[in-house]
Amino acid sequence: MGDDVTTLRRVPGFRPYWSAATVSSFGSAISAVAVPVLVVTVLHASPFEVGLVNAAQFLPYALFGLIVGAYVDRFRRKPLLVWASVGRGLCLATIPLLWLTGHLDLWVTASALFVFGILSVVGFAATQSLLPRIVPRSLLLAANARVDQSDAAAQTIGPGFGGILVSIVTAPIAIALDAVSYFVDAVLVSRVRVVEPTPERRAGVRLRGDIADGLRWTYGHATLAPLALSTHLWFLANAAALTVFATLALRTLGLPAVVYGAILAVNGVAMLLGATAAPHLGTRFGAGRTIIAARASYPIAWAAIALAIVSTGGAAPTSTVVVLFVAFAVSGAAAGCENANEMSLRQTATPDALLGRMNGTMRSANRTLAAAGAVAGGALMTVAGDGVALLAVTLVFAGAFLVAACSPLRTNTVR
């Protein structure tokens, strides 16, 4: 790993790319606290409405993900990423501006986040497909791990800082900082040195054919197909879990925003440690086995959360808060260990000409199920209660693990 990091530093375009990702991650980590606080305590949303607002960010992936993935393979990726970042910054900036003028409500917020989601479809497809053009494929695991480390560091510091910031300057102003981070992101990406030939225009090839090629590659590949299905289930469970947890923590348990942010910060610390270990684990045990082991941790963590919360029946005692911190630490470590290995596996298994479509296909399905999970989590909590919602989350996480464990991922490595 040490030699790879030294070599990675010599790659001309990686440093500004990495810096851009780091800045954006810090801003997003603050919004991870500010947006739920805005929706739950400022706009007074019900659990179902919380789910709808969360879903607004993910719905564009269902509507536009496959189309965007195909177009990313038809254009240079760096300019797409720059303009997507500028657009996301403008979109988030509307929330504090409307709040200051007294025009912000739940549906305006959901609309702003929906447009933000559309631009995120473009941004994420472009950034995941741009990295293999910046660094050699032999360094992708190290590069992805370095990006994950920055993201984890942001999630460590950002939520705690976000909780304090929300308490001092309110949630909408905290969201304004995330908007600024996207403008900085755009400037840094514009400085990335990368050779990007304009993709060839293939006469007679329709958009529908490009989309079909991406679907066939992703779901016809012996390793990518079960990985995709397992990841889809993970996103379904995770979106439902975070929707349920935000309402439970801030309303049912009555945790202060600072404590809520601290729980997310502990998740970030553990993710940082996991991301640091990811290249070593992937090299020693294989990317597939590392992913499988990580996915076994989520149902354990959420089962512990369910038992702790259901047993309280009201305000959280110290023991319940401790369980929340430990469970989020376990899930954070698991995410850190698997993220770089999963992304590197996907990037090395896919030809450059199909990267945009593979990433667009995967992210489209992931975020579509995340939207469904956000709504379902809020609805299930409203109809059946906290315990049933948390049990359902735990079972879906268990399903994601079983799909991965019973697949060729057991023997897969990143080369």
Side-chain angles (χ1 to χ4, degrees):
M1 176 62 181
D3 291 341
D4 285 346
V5 170
T6 301
T7 305
L8 197 58
R9 289 172 181 166
R10 298 172 183 164
V11 177
F14 180 70
R15 181 168 293 181
Y17 175 93
W18 177 33
S19 299
T22 301
V23 169
S24 179
S25 292
F26 270 90
S28 297
I30 293 173
S31 282
V33 176
V35 170
V37 172
L38 171 73
V39 173
V40 173
T41 66
V42 177
L43 301 178
H44 307 292
S46 68
F48 181 66
E49 288 171 334
V50 172
L52 288 178
V53 172
N54 287 341
Q57 302 175 69
F58 301 131
L59 183 59
Y61 290 90
L63 300 178
F64 309 112
L66 296 178
I67 296 172
V68 167
Y71 272 110
V72 166
D73 284 334
R74 294 183 174 198
F75 295 94
R76 291 185 297 126
R77 292 157 188 173
K78 175 180 165 181
L80 287 176
L81 182 54
V82 169
W83 287 111
S85 294
V86 170
R88 282 181 285 183
L90 292 172
C91 190
L92 285 181
T94 63
I95 293 177
L97 288 175
L98 289 172
W99 176 74
L100 288 170
T101 58
H103 293 92
L104 186 68
D105 61 26
L106 185 71
W107 303 112
V108 169
T109 302
S111 299
L113 292 175
F114 178 77
V115 177
F116 175 86
I118 294 174
L119 295 166
S120 293
V121 174
V122 178
F124 281 114
T127 191
Q128 291 175 347
S129 304
L130 178 62
L131 185 58
R133 289 186 173 178
I134 297 172
V135 304
R137 294 206 170 198
S138 60
L139 295 176
L140 278 174
L141 180 53
N144 280 306
R146 184 50 61 95
V147 172
D148 281 350
Q149 286 171 345
S150 296
D151 186 57
Q155 292 188 43
T156 301
I157 300 170
F161 178 67
I164 296 171
L165 195 63
V166 166
S167 300
I168 297 174
V169 300
T170 72
I173 301 303
I175 291 171
L177 289 180
D178 191 13
V180 172
S181 76
Y182 278 106
F183 297 132
V184 176
D185 176 296
V187 172
L188 290 170
V189 171
S190 69
R191 298 174 58 190
V192 171
R193 293 170 56 188
V194 59
V195 177
E196 276 205 289
T198 302
E200 294 181 4
R201 299 283 189 247
R202 292 169 293 161
V205 178
R206 296 183 177 180
L207 183 65
R208 184 169 57 185
D210 277 347
I211 292 173
D213 287 343
L215 289 168
R216 277 193 296 268
W217 176 263
T218 303
Y219 296 111
H221 193 282
T223 301
L224 290 182
L227 176 62
L229 178 57
S230 174
T231 304
H232 298 340
L233 289 174
W234 185 92
F235 270 87
L236 176 68
N238 193 61
L242 294 180
T243 297
V244 171
F245 181 72
T247 306
L248 279 172
L250 295 168
R251 182 170 293 161
T252 305
L253 301 179
L255 298 181
V258 173
V259 175
Y260 177 72
I263 291 172
L264 298 184
V266 166
N267 182 268
V269 171
M271 189 179 295
L272 176 59
L273 296 175
T276 302
H280 302 284
L281 294 172
T283 301
R284 181 171 181 179
F285 300 107
R289 289 177 182 172
T290 301
I291 293 168
I292 291 169
R295 295 202 174 164
S297 303
Y298 298 107
I300 296 172
W302 281 95
I305 291 173
L307 290 173
I309 290 179
V310 170
S311 65
T312 63
T318 301
S319 59
T320 297
V321 176
V322 170
V323 170
L324 297 180
F325 274 101
V326 172
F328 269 77
V330 170
S331 61
C337 289
E338 72 169 321
N339 283 347
N341 281 286
E342 179 184 349
M343 185 54 62
S344 300
L345 192 157
R346 287 163 52 182
Q347 290 167 336
T348 53
T350 305
D352 182 81
L354 281 165
L355 275 172
R357 279 166 283 177
M358 180 276 294
N359 285 319
T361 298
M362 289 276 284
R363 190 165 283 270
S364 174
N366 288 343
R367 301 299 178 171
T368 299
L369 286 169
V375 174
L380 189 59
M381 186 177 178
T382 301
V383 173
D386 304 348
V388 173
L390 289 170
L391 175 62
V393 163
T394 302
L395 291 175
V396 179
F397 271 128
F401 159 68
L402 290 174
V403 169
C406 299
S407 76
L409 283 170
R410 297 190 307 271
T411 58
N412 195 276
T413 59
V414 175
R415 300 185 185 280

